[in-house]
Amino acid sequence: MIAASFFSSPEFYVVAVFVAAAIIGMAAMPGQKGEVRTFLYAGMLDYDGIPSEPCITARVDDSGHLHIHRFGLSGISTDGAYSIAVKVSGFDVTIEERLTGGSPYAGGADKAHAIIDCLGLERYHIQYRSEATGRSAAFSLRIAPGNTIDRLLS
Protein backbone atom coordinates (compact mmCIF):
# COMPACT_ATOMS: atom_id res chain seq x y z
CA MET A 1 0.00 0.00 0.00
CA ILE A 2 2.82 2.42 0.85
CA ALA A 3 4.63 1.55 -2.39
CA ALA A 4 1.47 2.24 -4.37
CA SER A 5 1.13 5.68 -2.82
CA PHE A 6 4.72 6.54 -3.84
CA PHE A 7 3.87 5.97 -7.54
CA SER A 8 1.06 8.54 -7.31
CA SER A 9 3.11 11.16 -5.45
CA PRO A 10 4.56 14.32 -7.08
CA GLU A 11 8.10 13.21 -6.11
CA PHE A 12 7.78 10.11 -8.29
CA TYR A 13 6.78 12.19 -11.31
CA VAL A 14 9.64 14.66 -10.77
CA VAL A 15 12.15 11.81 -10.63
CA ALA A 16 10.55 10.16 -13.69
CA VAL A 17 10.82 13.40 -15.72
CA PHE A 18 14.52 13.77 -14.84
CA VAL A 19 15.24 10.14 -15.77
CA ALA A 20 13.38 10.55 -19.08
CA ALA A 21 15.28 13.78 -19.84
CA ALA A 22 18.60 12.05 -19.12
CA ILE A 23 17.73 9.15 -21.45
CA ILE A 24 16.68 11.53 -24.25
CA GLY A 25 19.86 13.56 -23.75
CA MET A 26 22.05 10.47 -24.00
CA ALA A 27 20.24 9.29 -27.14
CA ALA A 28 20.56 12.70 -28.82
CA MET A 29 24.32 12.98 -28.32
CA PRO A 30 26.27 12.55 -31.56
CA GLY A 31 28.52 9.53 -31.86
CA GLN A 32 32.22 9.94 -31.35
CA LYS A 33 34.17 10.52 -34.57
CA GLY A 34 37.44 9.43 -33.09
CA GLU A 35 40.76 11.05 -33.73
CA VAL A 36 41.60 12.96 -36.90
CA ARG A 37 43.96 11.03 -39.15
CA THR A 38 46.24 13.00 -41.47
CA PHE A 39 47.70 11.65 -44.70
CA LEU A 40 50.19 13.50 -46.93
CA TYR A 41 50.34 12.99 -50.69
CA ALA A 42 52.75 14.43 -53.25
CA GLY A 43 51.24 15.47 -56.54
CA MET A 44 52.48 16.11 -60.05
CA LEU A 45 52.48 19.48 -61.82
CA ASP A 46 51.88 19.76 -65.55
CA TYR A 47 51.21 22.29 -68.28
CA ASP A 48 48.72 21.92 -71.11
CA GLY A 49 48.25 25.59 -72.08
CA ILE A 50 44.47 25.46 -71.96
CA PRO A 51 43.16 28.40 -69.92
CA SER A 52 40.84 27.31 -67.14
CA GLU A 53 39.10 28.74 -64.12
CA PRO A 54 40.43 27.45 -60.80
CA CYS A 55 38.57 24.18 -60.28
CA ILE A 56 38.98 20.58 -59.24
CA THR A 57 37.77 17.28 -60.60
CA ALA A 58 37.50 14.35 -58.20
CA ARG A 59 37.32 10.94 -59.87
CA VAL A 60 37.28 7.46 -58.33
CA ASP A 61 39.18 4.81 -60.28
CA ASP A 62 38.42 1.07 -60.51
CA SER A 63 40.53 0.28 -57.43
CA GLY A 64 38.70 2.85 -55.24
CA HIS A 65 41.43 5.49 -55.23
CA LEU A 66 40.36 9.13 -55.42
CA HIS A 67 42.12 11.16 -58.12
CA ILE A 68 42.19 14.92 -57.55
CA HIS A 69 42.82 16.96 -60.69
CA ARG A 70 43.47 20.65 -60.01
CA PHE A 71 43.10 23.11 -62.90
CA GLY A 72 43.67 26.84 -63.26
CA LEU A 73 46.95 27.17 -61.38
CA SER A 74 48.92 30.37 -61.88
CA GLY A 75 52.27 31.59 -60.61
CA ILE A 76 53.58 28.04 -60.24
CA SER A 77 56.43 26.67 -62.35
CA THR A 78 56.86 23.07 -63.42
CA ASP A 79 59.80 22.67 -61.03
CA GLY A 80 57.64 23.83 -58.11
CA ALA A 81 55.63 21.47 -55.94
CA TYR A 82 52.01 20.48 -55.42
CA SER A 83 50.99 18.35 -52.46
CA ILE A 84 47.89 17.78 -50.39
CA ALA A 85 47.25 17.04 -46.74
CA VAL A 86 44.16 14.88 -46.24
CA LYS A 87 42.53 15.00 -42.80
CA VAL A 88 39.91 12.30 -42.16
CA SER A 89 37.53 12.48 -39.20
CA GLY A 90 34.77 9.90 -39.53
CA PHE A 91 33.11 10.67 -42.87
CA ASP A 92 34.35 14.28 -42.96
CA VAL A 93 37.42 14.87 -45.14
CA THR A 94 39.43 18.08 -45.44
CA ILE A 95 41.93 18.33 -48.28
CA GLU A 96 44.44 21.14 -47.88
CA GLU A 97 46.37 22.11 -51.00
CA ARG A 98 50.02 23.08 -50.59
CA LEU A 99 51.80 24.91 -53.39
CA THR A 100 55.46 25.87 -53.83
CA GLY A 101 56.19 28.32 -56.64
CA GLY A 102 59.54 27.04 -57.91
CA SER A 103 61.98 28.84 -60.19
CA PRO A 104 60.76 31.88 -62.13
CA TYR A 105 62.91 30.70 -65.07
CA ALA A 106 61.16 27.34 -65.47
CA GLY A 107 58.01 26.89 -67.52
CA GLY A 108 54.67 27.56 -65.87
CA ALA A 109 52.35 24.84 -64.59
CA ASP A 110 48.59 25.23 -64.92
CA LYS A 111 47.32 21.90 -63.61
CA ALA A 112 48.17 19.30 -60.98
CA HIS A 113 47.17 15.76 -60.05
CA ALA A 114 47.30 13.69 -56.84
CA ILE A 115 45.94 10.27 -55.84
CA ILE A 116 44.32 9.64 -52.45
CA ASP A 117 44.25 6.01 -51.31
CA CYS A 118 43.19 6.30 -47.64
CA LEU A 119 39.39 6.37 -48.07
CA GLY A 120 37.04 3.40 -47.86
CA LEU A 121 34.07 2.71 -50.11
CA GLU A 122 31.67 5.08 -48.30
CA ARG A 123 30.03 8.48 -48.81
CA TYR A 124 32.23 11.35 -47.60
CA HIS A 125 31.69 15.07 -47.05
CA ILE A 126 34.77 16.64 -48.60
CA GLN A 127 36.13 20.16 -48.28
CA TYR A 128 39.01 21.18 -50.56
CA ARG A 129 40.97 24.26 -49.44
CA SER A 130 43.84 26.20 -50.94
CA GLU A 131 45.36 28.52 -48.39
CA ALA A 132 47.79 29.94 -50.96
CA THR A 133 44.98 31.15 -53.23
CA GLY A 134 42.24 31.60 -50.62
CA ARG A 135 39.86 29.39 -52.60
CA SER A 136 37.82 26.38 -51.54
CA ALA A 137 35.09 23.96 -52.60
CA ALA A 138 32.85 21.55 -50.73
CA PHE A 139 30.95 18.50 -51.94
CA SER A 140 29.75 15.02 -51.03
CA LEU A 141 31.08 12.05 -52.93
CA ARG A 142 30.55 8.33 -52.64
CA ILE A 143 33.84 6.53 -53.12
CA ALA A 144 32.77 3.98 -55.73
CA PRO A 145 34.44 3.18 -59.07
CA GLY A 146 33.46 5.60 -61.81
CA ASN A 147 32.08 8.40 -59.63
CA THR A 148 33.23 11.87 -60.71
CA ILE A 149 32.46 15.40 -59.56
CA ASP A 150 33.63 18.83 -60.78
CA ARG A 151 33.72 21.93 -58.57
CA LEU A 152 34.82 25.51 -59.13
CA LEU A 153 37.11 26.90 -56.45
CA SER A 154 35.60 30.11 -55.13
Side-chain angles (χ1 to χ4, degrees), residues 28 34 42 52 54 59 91 94 96 98 104 115 126 137 139 147 150 152:
S52 173
R59 181 184 57 82
F91 297 110
T94 302
E96 295 179 1
R98 298 177 179 174
I115 302 172
I126 301 173
F139 54 93
N147 285 351
D150 299 315
L152 287 174

PDB file of all heavy atoms in Angstrom, residues 28 34 42 52 54 59 91 94 96 98 104 115 126 137 139 147 150 152:
ATOM      1  N   ALA A  28      20.389  11.619 -27.851  1.00  0.00           N
ATOM      2  CA  ALA A  28      20.559  12.700 -28.819  1.00  0.00           C
ATOM      3  C   ALA A  28      22.013  13.092 -29.023  1.00  0.00           C
ATOM      4  O   ALA A  28      22.329  13.812 -29.970  1.00  0.00           O
ATOM      5  CB  ALA A  28      19.763  13.927 -28.379  1.00  0.00           C
ATOM      6  N   GLY A  34      36.098   9.959 -33.272  1.00  0.00           N
ATOM      7  CA  GLY A  34      37.444   9.432 -33.089  1.00  0.00           C
ATOM      8  C   GLY A  34      38.462  10.502 -33.441  1.00  0.00           C
ATOM      9  O   GLY A  34      38.139  11.660 -33.698  1.00  0.00           O
ATOM     10  N   ALA A  42      52.069  13.579 -52.270  1.00  0.00           N
ATOM     11  CA  ALA A  42      52.745  14.428 -53.249  1.00  0.00           C
ATOM     12  C   ALA A  42      51.994  14.336 -54.562  1.00  0.00           C
ATOM     13  O   ALA A  42      51.476  13.280 -54.917  1.00  0.00           O
ATOM     14  CB  ALA A  42      54.195  13.964 -53.434  1.00  0.00           C
ATOM     15  N   SER A  52      41.935  27.893 -67.902  1.00  0.00           N
ATOM     16  CA  SER A  52      40.843  27.313 -67.135  1.00  0.00           C
ATOM     17  C   SER A  52      40.629  28.124 -65.867  1.00  0.00           C
ATOM     18  O   SER A  52      41.564  28.701 -65.323  1.00  0.00           O
ATOM     19  CB  SER A  52      41.183  25.864 -66.767  1.00  0.00           C
ATOM     20  OG  SER A  52      40.226  25.337 -65.887  1.00  0.00           O
ATOM     21  N   PRO A  54      39.987  28.334 -61.875  1.00  0.00           N
ATOM     22  CA  PRO A  54      40.429  27.453 -60.796  1.00  0.00           C
ATOM     23  C   PRO A  54      39.306  26.485 -60.410  1.00  0.00           C
ATOM     24  O   PRO A  54      38.219  26.900 -60.025  1.00  0.00           O
ATOM     25  CB  PRO A  54      40.745  28.411 -59.648  1.00  0.00           C
ATOM     26  CG  PRO A  54      41.027  29.713 -60.315  1.00  0.00           C
ATOM     27  CD  PRO A  54      40.129  29.746 -61.515  1.00  0.00           C
ATOM     28  N   ARG A  59      37.754  12.127 -59.144  1.00  0.00           N
ATOM     29  CA  ARG A  59      37.325  10.935 -59.871  1.00  0.00           C
ATOM     30  C   ARG A  59      37.804   9.698 -59.130  1.00  0.00           C
ATOM     31  O   ARG A  59      38.946   9.634 -58.688  1.00  0.00           O
ATOM     32  CB  ARG A  59      37.903  10.949 -61.281  1.00  0.00           C
ATOM     33  CG  ARG A  59      37.497   9.754 -62.132  1.00  0.00           C
ATOM     34  CD  ARG A  59      38.171   9.773 -63.494  1.00  0.00           C
ATOM     35  NE  ARG A  59      39.620   9.811 -63.446  1.00  0.00           N
ATOM     36  CZ  ARG A  59      40.396   8.741 -63.266  1.00  0.00           C
ATOM     37  NH1 ARG A  59      39.862   7.561 -63.101  1.00  0.00           N
ATOM     38  NH2 ARG A  59      41.709   8.873 -63.259  1.00  0.00           N
ATOM     39  N   PHE A  91      33.416  10.542 -41.441  1.00  0.00           N
ATOM     40  CA  PHE A  91      33.107  10.666 -42.867  1.00  0.00           C
ATOM     41  C   PHE A  91      33.305  12.092 -43.354  1.00  0.00           C
ATOM     42  O   PHE A  91      32.841  12.449 -44.431  1.00  0.00           O
ATOM     43  CB  PHE A  91      31.684  10.187 -43.143  1.00  0.00           C
ATOM     44  CG  PHE A  91      31.505   8.729 -42.837  1.00  0.00           C
ATOM     45  CD1 PHE A  91      30.736   8.322 -41.766  1.00  0.00           C
ATOM     46  CD2 PHE A  91      32.134   7.774 -43.605  1.00  0.00           C
ATOM     47  CE1 PHE A  91      30.587   6.982 -41.468  1.00  0.00           C
ATOM     48  CE2 PHE A  91      31.993   6.431 -43.324  1.00  0.00           C
ATOM     49  CZ  PHE A  91      31.215   6.033 -42.254  1.00  0.00           C
ATOM     50  N   THR A  94      38.916  16.769 -45.059  1.00  0.00           N
ATOM     51  CA  THR A  94      39.430  18.081 -45.441  1.00  0.00           C
ATOM     52  C   THR A  94      40.709  17.871 -46.228  1.00  0.00           C
ATOM     53  O   THR A  94      41.626  17.203 -45.750  1.00  0.00           O
ATOM     54  CB  THR A  94      39.719  18.952 -44.204  1.00  0.00           C
ATOM     55  OG1 THR A  94      38.512  19.091 -43.447  1.00  0.00           O
ATOM     56  CG2 THR A  94      40.213  20.329 -44.613  1.00  0.00           C
ATOM     57  N   GLU A  96      43.754  19.852 -47.866  1.00  0.00           N
ATOM     58  CA  GLU A  96      44.441  21.144 -47.884  1.00  0.00           C
ATOM     59  C   GLU A  96      45.533  21.106 -48.942  1.00  0.00           C
ATOM     60  O   GLU A  96      46.462  20.307 -48.872  1.00  0.00           O
ATOM     61  CB  GLU A  96      45.026  21.448 -46.510  1.00  0.00           C
ATOM     62  CG  GLU A  96      43.963  21.623 -45.449  1.00  0.00           C
ATOM     63  CD  GLU A  96      44.538  21.892 -44.071  1.00  0.00           C
ATOM     64  OE1 GLU A  96      45.784  21.960 -43.932  1.00  0.00           O
ATOM     65  OE2 GLU A  96      43.740  22.021 -43.139  1.00  0.00           O
ATOM     66  N   ARG A  98      48.759  22.395 -50.913  1.00  0.00           N
ATOM     67  CA  ARG A  98      50.017  23.078 -50.593  1.00  0.00           C
ATOM     68  C   ARG A  98      50.781  23.298 -51.883  1.00  0.00           C
ATOM     69  O   ARG A  98      51.036  22.347 -52.626  1.00  0.00           O
ATOM     70  CB  ARG A  98      50.826  22.253 -49.605  1.00  0.00           C
ATOM     71  CG  ARG A  98      50.091  22.070 -48.286  1.00  0.00           C
ATOM     72  CD  ARG A  98      50.833  21.202 -47.342  1.00  0.00           C
ATOM     73  NE  ARG A  98      50.094  21.093 -46.085  1.00  0.00           N
ATOM     74  CZ  ARG A  98      50.431  20.318 -45.104  1.00  0.00           C
ATOM     75  NH1 ARG A  98      51.521  19.576 -45.189  1.00  0.00           N
ATOM     76  NH2 ARG A  98      49.711  20.262 -44.002  1.00  0.00           N
ATOM     77  N   PRO A 104      61.448  31.024 -61.161  1.00  0.00           N
ATOM     78  CA  PRO A 104      60.759  31.877 -62.134  1.00  0.00           C
ATOM     79  C   PRO A 104      61.250  31.659 -63.564  1.00  0.00           C
ATOM     80  O   PRO A 104      60.633  32.122 -64.512  1.00  0.00           O
ATOM     81  CB  PRO A 104      61.082  33.300 -61.658  1.00  0.00           C
ATOM     82  CG  PRO A 104      62.326  33.171 -60.859  1.00  0.00           C
ATOM     83  CD  PRO A 104      62.319  31.790 -60.263  1.00  0.00           C
ATOM     84  N   ILE A 115      46.776  11.454 -56.062  1.00  0.00           N
ATOM     85  CA  ILE A 115      45.943  10.269 -55.841  1.00  0.00           C
ATOM     86  C   ILE A 115      45.837  10.014 -54.347  1.00  0.00           C
ATOM     87  O   ILE A 115      46.846   9.913 -53.651  1.00  0.00           O
ATOM     88  CB  ILE A 115      46.532   9.032 -56.553  1.00  0.00           C
ATOM     89  CG1 ILE A 115      46.657   9.291 -58.055  1.00  0.00           C
ATOM     90  CG2 ILE A 115      45.673   7.802 -56.277  1.00  0.00           C
ATOM     91  CD1 ILE A 115      47.404   8.202 -58.801  1.00  0.00           C
ATOM     92  N   ILE A 126      33.396  16.223 -48.302  1.00  0.00           N
ATOM     93  CA  ILE A 126      34.766  16.638 -48.597  1.00  0.00           C
ATOM     94  C   ILE A 126      34.832  18.148 -48.746  1.00  0.00           C
ATOM     95  O   ILE A 126      34.003  18.750 -49.427  1.00  0.00           O
ATOM     96  CB  ILE A 126      35.271  15.953 -49.888  1.00  0.00           C
ATOM     97  CG1 ILE A 126      35.216  14.423 -49.710  1.00  0.00           C
ATOM     98  CG2 ILE A 126      36.678  16.421 -50.234  1.00  0.00           C
ATOM     99  CD1 ILE A 126      35.524  13.639 -50.959  1.00  0.00           C
ATOM    100  N   ALA A 137      36.281  24.602 -52.050  1.00  0.00           N
ATOM    101  CA  ALA A 137      35.085  23.964 -52.602  1.00  0.00           C
ATOM    102  C   ALA A 137      34.664  22.875 -51.625  1.00  0.00           C
ATOM    103  O   ALA A 137      35.493  22.306 -50.922  1.00  0.00           O
ATOM    104  CB  ALA A 137      35.376  23.371 -53.977  1.00  0.00           C
ATOM    105  N   PHE A 139      31.857  19.406 -51.240  1.00  0.00           N
ATOM    106  CA  PHE A 139      30.952  18.499 -51.939  1.00  0.00           C
ATOM    107  C   PHE A 139      30.875  17.180 -51.186  1.00  0.00           C
ATOM    108  O   PHE A 139      31.687  16.901 -50.315  1.00  0.00           O
ATOM    109  CB  PHE A 139      31.425  18.257 -53.382  1.00  0.00           C
ATOM    110  CG  PHE A 139      32.848  17.774 -53.502  1.00  0.00           C
ATOM    111  CD1 PHE A 139      33.144  16.429 -53.550  1.00  0.00           C
ATOM    112  CD2 PHE A 139      33.895  18.694 -53.570  1.00  0.00           C
ATOM    113  CE1 PHE A 139      34.451  15.989 -53.667  1.00  0.00           C
ATOM    114  CE2 PHE A 139      35.204  18.263 -53.688  1.00  0.00           C
ATOM    115  CZ  PHE A 139      35.482  16.906 -53.731  1.00  0.00           C
ATOM    116  N   ASN A 147      32.687   7.157 -60.081  1.00  0.00           N
ATOM    117  CA  ASN A 147      32.079   8.405 -59.633  1.00  0.00           C
ATOM    118  C   ASN A 147      33.006   9.575 -59.874  1.00  0.00           C
ATOM    119  O   ASN A 147      34.209   9.503 -59.598  1.00  0.00           O
ATOM    120  CB  ASN A 147      31.683   8.335 -58.156  1.00  0.00           C
ATOM    121  CG  ASN A 147      30.450   7.505 -57.921  1.00  0.00           C
ATOM    122  OD1 ASN A 147      29.786   7.105 -58.871  1.00  0.00           O
ATOM    123  ND2 ASN A 147      30.154   7.236 -56.673  1.00  0.00           N
ATOM    124  N   ASP A 150      32.868  17.624 -60.445  1.00  0.00           N
ATOM    125  CA  ASP A 150      33.631  18.829 -60.782  1.00  0.00           C
ATOM    126  C   ASP A 150      33.148  19.964 -59.903  1.00  0.00           C
ATOM    127  O   ASP A 150      31.930  20.130 -59.721  1.00  0.00           O
ATOM    128  CB  ASP A 150      33.428  19.230 -62.253  1.00  0.00           C
ATOM    129  CG  ASP A 150      33.900  18.156 -63.212  1.00  0.00           C
ATOM    130  OD1 ASP A 150      34.987  17.616 -63.003  1.00  0.00           O
ATOM    131  OD2 ASP A 150      33.162  17.866 -64.175  1.00  0.00           O
ATOM    132  N   LEU A 152      34.044  24.280 -59.031  1.00  0.00           N
ATOM    133  CA  LEU A 152      34.820  25.507 -59.134  1.00  0.00           C
ATOM    134  C   LEU A 152      35.348  25.875 -57.757  1.00  0.00           C
ATOM    135  O   LEU A 152      34.655  25.683 -56.748  1.00  0.00           O
ATOM    136  CB  LEU A 152      33.973  26.666 -59.661  1.00  0.00           C
ATOM    137  CG  LEU A 152      33.607  26.622 -61.132  1.00  0.00           C
ATOM    138  CD1 LEU A 152      32.645  27.763 -61.466  1.00  0.00           C
ATOM    139  CD2 LEU A 152      34.853  26.713 -62.002  1.00  0.00           C
TER     140      LEU A 152
END
